[in-house]
Every structure is written in C-alpha cells, then in structure tokens.
Amino acid sequence: MSRRSSYAQVASGGNSHTNSVPARLGGFSHPSSSGAHSHAIAHPRHHSRTHDDGQHNAMSTSLGRSGPLPSYSSQFGYLKDYTRHDGSESTFFVPSYLRGSKHAEKLEEVHRARMAAQREYRSAHSSNAGSLSTSSSSANLYKMPSSHRGMTHEIVERPPALAEEPIAPWPTRWNETDKFPQMEVEENGRLAKFAGAQKSHDEAASIRADYPMPRQCGIYYYEVTVVSKGKDGRMIGVGFSGPKVSLNRIPGWEPDSYAYHGDDGQCFSNTTSGKPYGPKFGTLDVIGCGINFRTNTAFFTKNGHYLDTAFRDLKPGVQYYPTVGMKKQNEMLKANFGQEPFAFDIDKMVQDEKAAIQAEITRFKESVTFNESDMIQSLVAQYLAHDGYVESARAFAEETSAESRALANEGSASSAYIGTEEDIHAINRQKIRAAILDGDIDKALKHTNTHYANVLRDNENIYFKLRCRKFIEMIRQCSELNAQRYGGNSIPTPPSKRSTTTAIHTNNSTATKRSSTATEEYDFEMELDEQLGVHNGAPWDTPADEEDEDDDEEDEDEEDGADREEEDDDEDETEAQAREMTARMLQYGMELRSEFANDQRREVKKALEDTFALVAYENVRESSLAPLLDPAGRVPVAEELNGAILVSLGKSSSAVLERLVQQTEALVNELAEDGGSGAFINVRRDFLQ
Amino acid sequence: MSSSTVSVSVATPTQHSFQRKVDEIKVSKSDINFVIMDYLVSEGYPRAAENFAKEANIQLPLEEESIQTRVEIRGAIHAGDIDTAINKINDLNPQILDTDPALHFALLRVQLIELIRNCTSSATGDITPVLNFASSQLAPRAATNPEFLKDLELAMTLLIFLPSEKLEPELEELIKPSLRREVASKVSEAILTSMGTRGEARMRQLIRLRLWAEAKAREAEKELPPTLPLGLQTADDAITSHANGNGEDIMVQ
C-alpha cells in the first residue's frame, strides 16, 4: 500500500524518470514495520513447499501459535487465521485425495497470495532504503521460480473472491490452545501425548485439531497412529467433535461428539452408550476417520481396511474438528492430516464418488427436452461469430448446413450464418485484436478510432490500458535492443534487404520481432511525432490518420524507413539507436504520466506505478518485473477492447458459451458450499480440459 | 492489503446476488477455445477446425486421421444410406460393430425404417424387401435381446401406419431426422472410443452439467433468480423451461 502511494507520487509528481528511482525505493519502507518480529521474517527459507526440516519445525514449535500475531499478518485480513507467523508456508500441503479439487485450488491460491505478500513485505524490509537495490530486492526474489510480481498483481486484481468468502482451511495439526491441560503436543503439532495422571472412570483428556474438517471438501479424511497406548490402557477414542464440546471427556460421550473407541471397538455418538462397530485397536494400529458431507455420514478404517458407515446422524450446521481422547499416562497418538500417504485408499473412495456424480450428470441428458445437438451448434456458431473468428464461423456454418441438408427436411435455423454487415464488424474486430496481439498498439488505436471512435471515448480505462501497453511495448523494445548490445553474442546479422522486406511484410506475426526492430522503431518515431504534435489529451481528436489505412501501403512506408536505417548498421549505430529509442520511450512515458496525472482512480495509479517501475531497471528482463513485459499481457487488453466494441455495437461483451460456463461454475460453487455434490466437481479440470 | 484492494463492484439494485457471483467468475479464453476445438474435431467439422486452429492460434489435435472418414460416415447415416456407413465403419475397424451389438442393431434398424419409408411412399411400393431385410438381418439379433425385439416390433408397425399425417408420438420419433442424427453421433463416439480418445465431445457433458447443476441447486433451494437465461435466442426457451420474458436476458447478436 505504501509502495503504491509512493508510486503514485512518482507518477504524478516527478518530472524526470531519474527521480523515480529513489522515490520508489523509499516507498518500500513499510509503515507498520516494527522490529519486534523482524527476526522471524528475515529468517532464510530454503524449505520446499512440501517438506519440513527439523530446524524449521523446532522454530515453529518454540514460537508457538498462541503468541500475539505480528502486526503484518493482520494486514492480510482474514488470512491471519490461516497464517502462522513463523512461516508455515513450508508446511502447506494438499491431502492426496483432494488434489485437483476445486477447494484445494482455492486454498492453494490463498496460500500463494499470502506467500507473495510475505515476500513482498520481507523484501521491503531487507532492502536498504536509499541504496539502489535492484540487486538487493531482486536477489531475494531469485529463489522464487514464479515471478512474485506477476503473482501479486494477479491476486490483487481479483480481490473480491478472496475477501468476500474466506476459504476454509483444513486441519494441519493438533491445536495447542484447544486441549485438555495435561495434553502435550509434539512433532510439529502432529503428536498428541497425555502427560497427566491416570484419569478416573468417566474423565479423559481430549484434543482438537486446529481447523474443522471443511465441508467444501465433500469428503474429509484423516488418520491417527497409536504410537503407544500406555501402561495397560487402551481407552483411546478417535473421531470428531464440535468446537464447544468439553475436552475432559473421551470423544463420543458428549453431544456433537463422535468417536470409535479402542478398548471395546464400539462407536459412540452423543452419548456414553456405544454400539458394536469394529475390532478393538491398540499400539501401532492406524485408525482412519472420514466424513462424507454429501450424505452426512461418517466412517472409520483400521490399518487400511474400511469398517463401514458408523454414523448417519451428522448435523449439517456443525463444524466438526478432528478429535482424539485418551486416559492413561504416556498414551500417544500421531495424526496424519494428509502430510503423508494414508494407509487406507481414500483416493479411490473419492474417485468413486466423483465418478458416480459424473454418471448422474451424464444420465441427466435423458430428462432434457430440447435438442442437445442443435443447442451446441448454436452455441459454437455464436461463439465463433462473437469472438471474430470469421473464417471458422463461415466454415462451421457451411459444414452444419451441409449436415442439415443431409438430414433432409430438418429446417435448422440455427446454422443460418449472420449476414454481411456483421462480417465487416467481425473483420474489423479481428484486425484490431491481431494488432494488439502483435504488440502494435498504435495500429490498434488507429483502427479503433477509425471504426469505433466512441469506444475509446466511452471506455477511458481501456484507452488508458492501451496507452500503458504501448509504453510497455516501447520498454520491451529498448530492452530487446539492449540485450542485443550487451548480450555477449553480437548483434544478429543485419538482414539483407530482401529478407527485411519479407520480414516487414510478415511483421504482424510475432515471429519477426528481432529482425524488424529497426522497422518498429521507425514506427515509433512516426507515431510519436504524431502524438507529440497533435496529441493534446483527447486521443479521439487525433485526426484519424489521413493516410490510407490499407495495411500494405503502411508496410511500404515502413519498408522505406527500414531500408534507410539498415544502410549503415554497425555497433555505433545500434547504440545511437538504443539511446534514441530510450529517449523516445521516456518522453512517451512523461506524456503518459502528465496525461493521467490527475486521475485519482486506484487502478490507474497502480498501473502507472507498475509500468514506471519498469524504467528503473537497467535490465528489465532479469528483474522481478519481467513478467510485465510478457507478450501474454496483450491478451487481456485485446479481449477487453473487443468486448467494449461489441458492447458499443449493442451486443453482449461475452459470448453465450462463456456465459454458460460462468453460470455453471457459479451453480457448482453453490452446490459445493455445504459439501454437496458440487464439492466433487472441478468445472475447469473435469469439463474444460 | 485487503483494505486497499477490496472493491466490491456496485451492483444495480435489481440485480440478484447470484447474478453478481456469475459475473465475478473469470472464464479463460483458452479453456473455451479448447472446448470449441474439441467439439469441432470430435463431432467432425474438419474445415471449421482447421480454420479455427489458424484464427485462434491453437494446435489441431494430432489424432485426427479419422475425421474425414467420420464425416463421410456421418453424412451417409444422415442420408439414410446405412449400407455405405456400415462398410466404411468396417473398413476403419471391424471390431467397432462386432463388439457393440446395440450399435449395430441401431444402424440396421435405421436401415429398416428407411426401407419402410421408401416402399410406403408410393402406392405401388413393394414390401417384400422390407420383410426380407427384417427377417434376415434384424430378427436373428432381436431374438437375443428383448429390448431389440421391442424396437423391431415398433419399427415394423410403421408399415401399417405409413404414410400418415398423424402418427403416435412413439412412431413419429422413428421417422424424425433426429433418430438418424442420434445414431450417427453414437457411431462417431464409438469410433473415437475405439481409437483410445475420449468418445464424446466435452461440450456435451458441459451442457449437461449446467442443466444438472441448476436442477440440483433449485432442489436444494439455493437462492437463485427465477430463471437463468443464457441469451441464446433459439435455445433459450428450451434450456429454461419456464422462461417467460425475463428482462435480465442478455443481448445476443
């Protein structure tokens, strides 16, 4: 946050880009920084995501969870519940049977967001304000395989999903603050040991896990190993209980408490009288406990064998925590919440459940009255036309109408192809999109102004994004040229005149970037002049280039320019070129900044900050900001503009098929909330890939 | 962080909260493109698939040697030319029909229905070929399976009623093109399955998921708007069975 506001200052206040460097770094000092917990943060982390090492475990145990949370984690709102301040990032795991599930994906996303936030925070603290530290801040980041910047931004841009619906985490360890006092917790929270004196007949010592079993998992399962049943005792209960159930009783004997007991093999729910259920269990037995939230039933396993349904009376509204209880001194139970492979093949049980639901969905077609094939054809035709896949739409229309002719008298109106007027728009939109995807923002702006002048006027944010993108493209080019100069391998052989010509003609395909650098630079020169000269704030006032907008002609201009530049291409030339290009880039940047200086919108400020941060790096490609340069970033801009043009034409911005997928996901989310069948469906993974 | 990033979009007051949830869901273009390509290839639209690969800049799936044959087979079945279709299927892989008697029977029954249609369309039509075909090809198979027998008997009753303007719905189904279409897509699925790819286009299961999920959600009394229109004019009434001019409908081109 502080980083942002300082970016904004840079964006709006500074006059030359050199000012922006210190200002930006200054922004890294965090307002809520307090030295108190910096040791924890500065602690180097080499743990991989799935493995703990002893040193780390020791640290997390000694720090304890019950201590006050450091201030920074509270900044992450609800995340603090999920965050252990000692860096539990290394203990994040996904139980095998939940891999690929929607809920696991959501939790992983939360986890990554939190890691990114921590990293950002940490790097902010480890870089010395004042010293120029592209190196120091990026050194921290080198360890991260995925760009931390990209990730942060992605998360930040989608906050509502995170902020509105906290994603329920699953149990990870026994809870040291939710136990009978004489219970001890060891081994990174997984071992529960009864250290007190033997309990009387109706008393016991119980402990609950840190989080309830999330209903959104559909099926939740954990196992405990009886490490030691203590001296001639085996009054051990494994099960689950609500958050308020008394902990000085064995689980199963209280309301909202359910368990399987080792001394008699009986299972107990809500009362002290059990019912015969399975075998007795003792030392070294592995007992599994699972809930199927779809059916609100629970089952147990012993040493990998399924023991039938134990309870059918679970309440939909109660949060159930994994709970174990024991009575004899030195009784010890070790839990596996999914950190390790399970003894029982729970994966198969979940797979079977999924398969049953898939089969139910397949059968659902029989109850559908409309013609599925017709509907799909209309959806596909509409999508192809809507998104401007002109040739595909045409071919599809021909093929489907051939099909309906073969079917003779079936008068299928659905394959009727939309008329020629639509075609023109589709072609225009396609052209504009292609230009953006090729990084030629000016061409896209020009076409848009020519055909849909009102779109940029009405959608200032898109106009802004395009302008930012152009700046990024300029930076890209500079950095590409720099890479050529300093990259060790000398400049690629200057293309011959002939090959340049072809290169230019295929300029629209991204493949030729390098060889056509000169051309594009020339482009910039042209466009920049244009903007400097005529451009006074409102882009739509730019006399939409008088020149013929026929691409070929444009190419010829470019060709001339390229030839001119190509004539004496040597190192000096390249350097001069680079300098000039950098100068232009900076000039454009300043223009951009002054144009939007007074814009108070958060997204605008943020985008400006991010973009200008790029300038600070000598070699952007190796900086943590490199992802901003990724050509993949063109896609969202292109799609957004395409959508806006469609809206301006009185059409929906998204195709019906997209709408259908959105609705489907939303419906499945609803069905997953309370652990129903939706919990076993991952729309994207199971249906779209 | 949360403080600066929480930006709940201001919804119009009339908008249902579920609608907002729908709007918040991000759909990846590449996922949609994948589903489209999968559909074009497995349902046999080779030219559209080729063009789409170019325009969307994605790869044509590799396994597609059979696509042209599948298109031809589909065309033959659609046109009622079952002999050609069966020959082509057997050329491709004789196992397909051998291992799927139900599919083979369905094809032969389409052929029978076409024969009946031909001979009943003119007053002078000869029903001998129909009877021969039925007794030589279908009857032996029907003897093995009561379902087949029932289907055969039903088809034969067409002989009595055709030509006719008003048929029992059961019989009406038999002479509708949708029967041929259905059989053709079953054949296509069987060919794809025999090649080891997933038989059915993903799009189909996706559509069913959408309908199933809505039905389930309504059954569970989740808070949903009375209708969830897609905005596809032709199919709109079909997918939302009780759609009646809901104003929320999105515009379509």
Side-chain angles (χ1 to χ4, degrees):
Chain A
M1 287 149 284
S2 59
R3 184 173 68 80
R4 274 197 213 145
S5 53
S6 77
Y7 275 86
Q9 284 158 16
V10 173
S12 54
N15 273 331
S16 88
H17 93 286
T18 44
N19 287 343
S20 71
V21 176
R24 177 177 157 257
L25 288 165
F28 271 137
S29 66
H30 205 283
S32 69
S33 71
S34 70
H37 53 277
S38 58
H39 64 284
I41 292 145
H43 186 79
R45 274 162 239 278
H46 305 291
H47 320 299
S48 76
R49 197 149 59 86
T50 46
H51 292 288
D52 296 344
D53 65 36
Q55 181 201 4
H56 170 72
N57 293 347
M59 186 179 83
S60 63
T61 323
S62 67
L63 285 175
R65 283 189 67 233
S66 48
L69 285 163
S71 58
Y72 80 88
S73 70
S74 59
Q75 289 160 21
F76 307 137
Y78 78 93
L79 278 176
K80 70 172 182 247
D81 290 334
Y82 184 63
T83 306
R84 227 165 282 127
H85 64 289
D86 56 15
S88 60
E89 63 192 63
S90 59
T91 63
F92 183 77
F93 61 89
V94 179
S96 56
Y97 60 94
L98 293 174
R99 277 179 205 144
S101 71
K102 188 75 189 168
H103 191 68
E105 277 180 7
K106 286 182 185 167
L107 272 185
E108 263 178 309
E109 196 175 307
V110 169
H111 172 72
R112 278 197 302 262
R114 184 170 52 81
M115 294 226 323
Q118 282 184 354
R119 266 201 304 274
E120 187 139 318
Y121 178 79
R122 232 180 290 134
S123 67
H125 280 255
S126 58
S127 64
N128 298 324
S131 81
L132 217 189
S133 58
T134 45
S135 53
S136 86
S137 62
S138 55
N140 283 335
L141 302 162
Y142 276 148
K143 292 183 219 116
M144 294 14 134
S146 61
S147 64
H148 101 288
R149 279 303 190 130
M151 187 53 67
T152 316
H153 293 161
E154 198 178 297
I155 300 299
V156 164
E157 276 162 18
R158 293 188 293 171
L162 291 177
E164 278 177 11
E165 284 175 40
I167 314 295
W170 43 60
T172 61
R173 52 176 289 154
W174 298 118
N175 189 339
E176 295 187 54
T177 60
D178 193 16
K179 65 181 177 67
F180 187 79
Q182 283 158 310
M183 197 72 111
E184 283 179 4
V185 176
E186 288 169 19
E187 291 189 29
N188 201 25
R190 289 176 54 193
L191 190 78
K193 178 178 165 188
F194 181 49
Q198 181 169 338
K199 305 294 290 186
S200 67
H201 175 66
D202 53 356
E203 287 209 308
S206 294
I207 186 165
R208 269 187 286 268
D210 53 353
Y211 294 108
M213 302 149 101
R215 304 192 75 87
Q216 295 87 342
C217 293
I219 286 179
Y220 183 84
Y221 179 79
Y222 78 100
E223 285 180 352
V224 295
T225 304
V226 183
V227 177
S228 160
K229 64 173 181 182
K231 200 168 154 235
D232 59 54
R234 57 176 175 198
M235 183 55 159
I236 289 170
V238 176
F240 46 91
S241 65
K244 297 210 173 91
V245 176
S246 159
L247 290 164
N248 60 9
R249 301 266 279 172
I250 200 92
W253 286 7
E254 296 280 303
D256 286 340
S257 177
Y258 301 78
Y260 169 32
H261 288 187
D263 60 331
D264 53 9
Q266 297 197 346
C267 65
F268 293 77
S269 62
N270 307 314
T271 159
T272 52
S273 58
K275 57 177 186 186
Y277 174 65
K280 299 172 184 179
F281 60 85
T283 304
L284 293 184
D285 282 329
V286 179
I287 304 303
C289 168
I291 296 185
N292 183 332
F293 288 103
R294 191 172 73 89
T295 51
N296 280 313
T297 58
F299 62 92
F300 293 95
T301 66
K302 184 188 171 193
N303 297 330
H305 296 290
Y306 180 70
L307 296 179
D308 206 358
T309 300
F311 311 113
R312 300 181 184 278
D313 55 345
L314 308 197
K315 294 173 199 151
V318 180
Q319 301 265 47
Y320 293 115
Y321 291 73
T323 309
V324 291
M326 42 200 115
K327 295 186 91 152
K328 298 278 163 76
Q329 192 168 14
N330 287 332
E331 281 178 327
M332 265 189 270
L333 293 173
K334 184 171 181 180
N336 176 10
F337 295 113
Q339 291 100 332
E340 290 166 15
F342 290 108
F344 171 67
D345 192 354
I346 181 70
D347 296 20
K348 181 168 185 301
M349 180 188 264
V350 173
Q351 282 307 325
D352 290 350
E353 192 85 10
K354 277 188 191 165
I357 289 164
Q358 288 271 355
E360 188 183 327
I361 295 166
T362 309
R363 277 196 307 276
F364 196 77
K365 72 173 156 185
E366 266 120 59
S367 58
V368 169
T369 49
F370 66 92
N371 187 313
E372 190 182 277
S373 300
D374 279 347
M375 170 167 176
I376 293 175
Q377 282 189 356
S378 331
L379 281 174
V380 172
Q382 199 269 345
Y383 177 77
L384 293 176
H386 183 277
D387 276 48
Y389 299 113
V390 182
E391 291 304 316
S392 313
R394 188 172 290 131
F396 185 65
E398 282 164 16
E399 283 176 316
T400 48
S401 69
E403 187 184 348
S404 32
R405 273 199 303 279
L407 279 167
N409 43 18
E410 172 142 295
S412 173
S414 60
S415 59
Y417 190 57
I418 10 141
T420 44
E421 193 198 335
E422 300 280 77
D423 276 357
I424 293 164
H425 288 305
I427 290 164
N428 285 335
R429 284 187 287 123
Q430 200 182 22
K431 236 195 235 172
I432 292 166
R433 173 167 50 196
I436 298 178
L437 293 182
D438 291 338
D440 191 347
I441 307 298
D442 289 314
K443 188 164 153 195
L445 280 171
K446 195 180 77 183
H447 282 320
T448 312
N449 273 328
T450 312
H451 301 293
Y452 311 103
N454 58 325
V455 169
L456 292 177
R457 189 165 46 232
D458 299 343
N459 297 277
E460 213 197 332
N461 60 326
I462 295 176
Y463 166 69
F464 171 73
K465 280 181 191 168
L466 282 165
R467 298 261 290 160
C468 271
R469 189 67 218 179
K470 176 174 166 172
F471 189 42
I472 290 171
E473 295 296 336
M474 291 176 90
I475 297 170
R476 241 178 92 80
Q477 306 230 312
C478 287
S479 106
E480 229 155 62
L481 205 66
N482 280 336
Q484 273 178 36
R485 277 199 299 155
Y486 304 119
N489 28 355
S490 53
I491 319 139
T493 10
S496 74
K497 193 172 173 181
R498 190 171 299 269
S499 73
T500 315
T501 312
T502 39
I504 289 162
H505 276 305
T506 53
N507 197 7
N508 289 340
S509 78
T510 41
T512 54
K513 234 160 244 132
R514 198 155 287 253
S515 62
S516 61
T517 310
T519 316
E520 289 179 17
E521 192 224 349
Y522 177 73
D523 248 358
F524 280 139
E525 192 172 9
M526 249 171 49
E527 301 291 344
L528 206 71
D529 287 350
E530 203 177 281
Q531 262 153 3
L532 287 178
V534 200
H535 201 99
N536 286 327
W540 41 88
D541 293 338
T542 309
D545 317 33
E546 299 301 327
E547 63 179 289
D548 189 341
E549 39 143 344
D550 182 11
D551 290 343
D552 289 346
E553 199 161 314
E554 207 172 276
D555 281 350
E556 269 168 45
D557 287 349
E558 286 168 4
E559 201 179 317
D560 290 346
D563 287 346
R564 210 174 48 203
E565 302 271 338
E566 221 80 56
E567 268 162 22
D568 47 352
D569 189 359
D570 57 34
E571 296 225 7
D572 287 346
E573 180 68 16
T574 319
E575 200 175 325
Q577 222 178 28
R579 230 180 293 123
E580 213 180 315
M581 199 189 278
T582 309
R584 274 196 219 108
M585 180 262 286
L586 293 175
Q587 198 172 5
Y588 179 83
M590 272 155 29
E591 255 177 66
L592 183 63
R593 194 163 56 193
S594 62
E595 185 174 339
F596 291 94
N598 297 323
D599 200 315
Q600 293 305 313
R601 281 174 301 174
R602 199 168 51 222
E603 316 87 74
V604 169
K605 284 190 169 179
K606 181 170 165 358
L608 279 175
E609 286 158 21
D610 289 346
T611 316
F612 277 93
L614 284 169
V615 182
Y617 289 94
E618 177 122 17
N619 192 347
V620 194
R621 259 154 217 285
E622 284 171 28
S623 77
S624 58
L625 297 183
L628 276 182
L629 289 187
D630 193 333
R634 295 165 183 165
V635 178
V637 186
E639 294 303 339
E640 203 169 337
L641 181 56
N642 187 42
I645 295 173
L646 282 166
V647 171
S648 79
L649 296 170
K651 289 168 190 155
S652 165
S653 67
S654 58
V656 178
L657 182 57
E658 287 170 272
R659 200 85 198 141
L660 180 136
V661 173
Q662 283 181 310
Q663 287 179 352
T664 308
E665 286 241 28
L667 287 164
V668 169
N669 281 344
E670 291 289 310
L671 291 175
E673 261 314 282
D674 49 3
S677 21
F680 297 92
I681 297 171
N682 182 338
V683 176
R684 190 154 186 265
R685 232 173 222 264
D686 304 340
F687 291 84
L688 300 179
Q689 288 176 343
Chain B
M1 175 167 281
S2 52
S3 63
S4 68
T5 53
V6 174
S7 60
V8 181
S9 57
V10 186
T12 47
T14 53
Q15 200 182 28
H16 195 281
S17 67
F18 181 78
Q19 194 54 46
R20 211 162 51 233
K21 290 182 192 167
V22 169
D23 293 337
E24 267 168 21
I25 287 177
K26 300 268 179 295
V27 181
S28 134
K29 278 278 173 199
S30 56
D31 283 351
I32 302 269
N33 285 350
F34 174 84
V35 170
I36 296 274
M37 183 53 106
D38 175 66
Y39 167 81
L40 295 176
V41 168
S42 53
E43 305 252 330
Y45 299 104
R47 288 205 307 106
E50 242 170 74
N51 280 301
F52 190 60
K54 270 184 231 139
E55 286 184 304
N57 197 21
I58 51 179
Q59 289 258 305
L60 262 178
L62 292 172
E63 23 94 6
E64 266 337 294
E65 291 150 18
S66 74
I67 188 164
Q68 200 51 48
T69 322
R70 283 189 288 117
V71 172
E72 286 163 21
I73 293 171
R74 180 186 67 197
I77 298 173
H78 282 177
D81 184 358
I82 305 300
D83 268 336
T84 308
I86 289 180
N87 284 338
K88 280 183 190 287
I89 297 169
N90 284 335
D91 286 350
L92 201 63
N93 180 356
Q95 294 283 314
I96 294 172
L97 293 180
D98 284 355
T99 53
D100 193 346
L103 185 63
H104 199 175
F105 184 81
L107 274 167
L108 293 170
R109 194 172 68 126
V110 170
Q111 193 166 6
L112 176 70
I113 293 166
E114 291 307 310
L115 286 171
I116 295 173
R117 204 209 293 267
N118 280 341
C119 77
T120 53
S121 58
S122 64
T124 59
D126 180 8
I127 65 162
T128 324
V130 174
L131 296 178
N132 283 344
F133 184 78
S135 60
S136 69
Q137 295 290 325
L138 286 131
R141 294 169 205 273
T144 64
N145 185 326
E147 281 288 309
F148 293 180
L149 188 62
K150 212 183 91 204
D151 284 349
L152 173 60
E153 283 168 0
L154 189 65
M156 291 303 280
T157 43
L158 276 177
L159 263 182
I160 306 163
F161 291 104
L162 278 182
S164 161
E165 291 300 303
K166 279 188 187 160
L167 283 175
E168 294 284 308
E170 237 182 352
L171 293 172
E172 179 82 44
E173 285 300 315
L174 294 181
I175 57 163
K176 271 194 191 160
S178 55
L179 178 75
R180 279 171 281 147
R181 197 174 185 181
E182 194 186 307
V183 172
S185 70
K186 276 187 188 148
V187 167
S188 186
E189 215 174 290
I191 294 172
L192 286 170
T193 313
S194 79
M195 298 193 317
T197 53
R198 186 147 32 149
E200 195 182 51
R202 258 152 266 208
M203 181 87 85
R204 292 189 178 267
Q205 189 77 344
L206 176 68
I207 304 286
R208 283 174 216 139
L209 174 66
R210 158 70 178 77
L211 297 167
W212 172 87
E214 183 178 347
K216 274 272 173 185
R218 292 200 187 281
E219 192 184 301
E221 296 182 345
K222 303 279 181 191
E223 267 188 47
L224 298 181
T227 59
L228 277 179
L230 282 173
L232 193 63
Q233 296 301 346
T234 48
D236 203 21
D237 300 325
I239 197 161
T240 53
S241 43
H242 41 276
N244 45 357
N246 191 311
E248 280 179 310
D249 202 348
I250 56 170
M251 282 178 284
V252 202
Q253 38 188 12

